[in-house]
Amino acid sequence: MPSQTMDVVEEYLLMPRKKPLVVFYCGVRSRNLPHFVCKKGEEIYGKGMVRRISLNPIELMRFELGVMSLAKMPQKVVVIRCTMARDYNTHVLIAEILAQESGKHVVLLCLDPIHIPTLPNGRVVLKSFAVSTFNSWHQRAHIFIADDMEKRFAYLIELFQAIKGKGYMDRIYDSIEGNENWADTLKYLLEEAKQNLTTYEDIVLEESSDKDNRQVEYHQVSTIQPTINDLNRSEGISHIRTHLRYRMIKETGEIFEYEPMSFDQAKEMMLKLAT
């Protein structure tokens, strides 16, 4: 279980809050998440102070009617694991009511098999309960995406944004091309991507000395590393921008040159790495 997920859960459980914490997870690697959340709750509040509930969509009405009874229970934490649903809006609403009525810490765990399907009309879409729920509930609940070790959530969200031409690298290219202050802008945007994007990579390809005997680093940055399957997708992916290279003076951090990388160049590079 990635430590960041449990850090978020611990922070939530230690602070007096009346909003529920909604955690979205996916994949086999996260199947033990409910166990770890309950264990963390008992470490903080004591054995027996966590109530774990599994909730199916067909049980929502009965569960809602039992909110007042749950509110009166001695437990300090209620962990609700939700199985597959068409959406989680009703689940979050009930969790919000329970948190407000009881003052307990309510953790709602929601499975999200995030993916990027192609519709019959050829349109590529992002199917994610986490994204749609965040857009609806971010002001009334604490929404957290518990990414797995492969960073599947971050990868697919950035891939979809890149397919639409709205990814981090699109913003970088659009901001520096034709900009006389491109170096400062590029440095700022790369730092922003590093802080905000867990799939971001910046590797040093080469170190050398220039004519003034200064150490120069040749960097390659990427917002995602597309998989072989995604590289071979026929719909909507042939134009995505995910990579860029730049040269920087090591001592000062000054960027003095950058090289755009086309999708074909990045694809060729990644296919070589995969063989």
Side-chain angles (χ1 to χ4, degrees):
M1 185 62 56
S3 59
Q4 184 188 18
T5 300
M6 297 317 301
D7 289 344
V8 169
V9 171
E10 182 175 16
E11 179 187 2
Y12 172 75
L13 294 177
L14 286 172
M15 296 183 69
R17 295 176 175 171
K18 291 192 175 180
K19 293 180 180 180
L21 172 65
V22 184
V23 180
F24 284 94
Y25 66 99
C26 71
V28 176
R29 287 182 179 271
S30 298
R31 67 182 182 275
N32 291 324
L33 179 61
H35 167 73
F36 285 115
V37 172
C38 292
K39 183 179 179 181
K40 178 60 66 177
E42 291 197 334
E43 286 176 4
I44 295 172
Y45 289 104
K47 192 170 181 62
M49 287 294 103
V50 178
R51 175 67 182 271
R52 177 175 173 176
I53 299 170
S54 292
L55 182 61
N56 296 316
I58 59 175
E59 298 172 331
L60 279 174
M61 183 176 295
R62 181 166 59 85
F63 184 80
E64 186 174 6
L65 293 174
V67 163
M68 294 307 297
S69 297
L70 286 171
K72 295 175 182 178
M73 292 189 313
Q75 283 85 3
K76 302 292 185 181
V77 181
V78 179
V79 178
I80 306 170
R81 176 183 173 272
C82 300
T83 56
M84 183 54 60
R86 296 196 177 192
D87 68 71
Y88 287 112
N89 286 316
T90 305
H91 298 72
V92 182
L93 177 60
I94 294 175
E96 180 187 45
I97 294 171
L98 176 58
Q100 290 174 345
E101 293 291 335
S102 67
K104 300 179 189 296
H105 289 85
V106 179
V107 183
L108 187 70
L109 305 176
C110 302
L111 181 66
D112 183 5
I114 182 173
H115 64 297
I116 304 177
T118 302
L119 301 182
N121 62 6
R123 181 166 164 252
V124 179
V125 296
L126 177 69
K127 294 283 189 178
S128 171
F129 294 126
V131 172
S132 59
T133 303
F134 177 83
N135 292 336
S136 302
W137 287 94
H138 69 279
Q139 293 182 335
R140 293 170 57 180
H142 304 286
I143 311 291
F144 178 72
I145 297 177
D147 224 339
D148 56 18
M149 301 299 291
E150 285 75 32
K151 303 174 183 176
R152 179 173 172 79
F153 274 108
Y155 172 81
L156 288 176
I157 291 172
E158 179 62 14
L159 174 63
F160 178 66
Q161 291 296 99
I163 291 174
K164 293 197 303 178
K166 297 180 180 180
Y168 270 85
M169 195 58 73
D170 292 290
R171 181 184 172 196
I172 289 172
Y173 276 116
D174 292 344
S175 298
I176 64 178
E177 291 174 350
N179 180 357
E180 61 180 20
N181 296 318
W182 66 266
D184 291 337
T185 301
L186 176 57
K187 189 172 183 178
Y188 170 80
L189 292 176
L190 290 177
E191 185 61 32
E192 181 182 67
K194 181 180 179 180
Q195 292 294 322
N196 297 335
L197 196 61
T198 59
T199 53
Y200 176 86
E201 289 186 1
D202 186 331
I203 61 175
V204 178
L205 299 175
E206 177 184 297
E207 288 193 36
S208 60
S209 298
D210 66 5
K211 62 181 181 180
D212 297 319
N213 204 32
R214 297 176 302 182
Q215 287 297 111
V216 173
E217 291 183 341
Y218 183 34
H219 287 246
Q220 176 176 288
V221 296
S222 63
T223 52
I224 56 171
Q225 300 284 350
T227 66
I228 298 300
N229 287 340
D230 286 327
L231 287 173
N232 292 327
R233 288 178 65 140
S234 60
E235 69 287 333
I237 199 172
S238 62
H239 65 282
I240 66 170
R241 298 190 285 189
T242 59
H243 289 68
L244 175 144
R245 290 176 176 172
Y246 68 90
R247 285 182 168 82
M248 178 186 80
I249 298 173
K250 185 175 182 179
E251 291 84 353
T252 63
E254 176 189 351
I255 298 175
F256 62 89
E257 181 182 31
Y258 78 90
E259 300 174 11
M261 287 187 68
S262 68
F263 174 77
D264 289 337
Q265 288 174 314
K267 180 176 180 178
E268 181 181 358
M269 176 194 67
M270 286 180 282
L271 288 174
K272 285 181 179 178
L273 291 174
T275 57

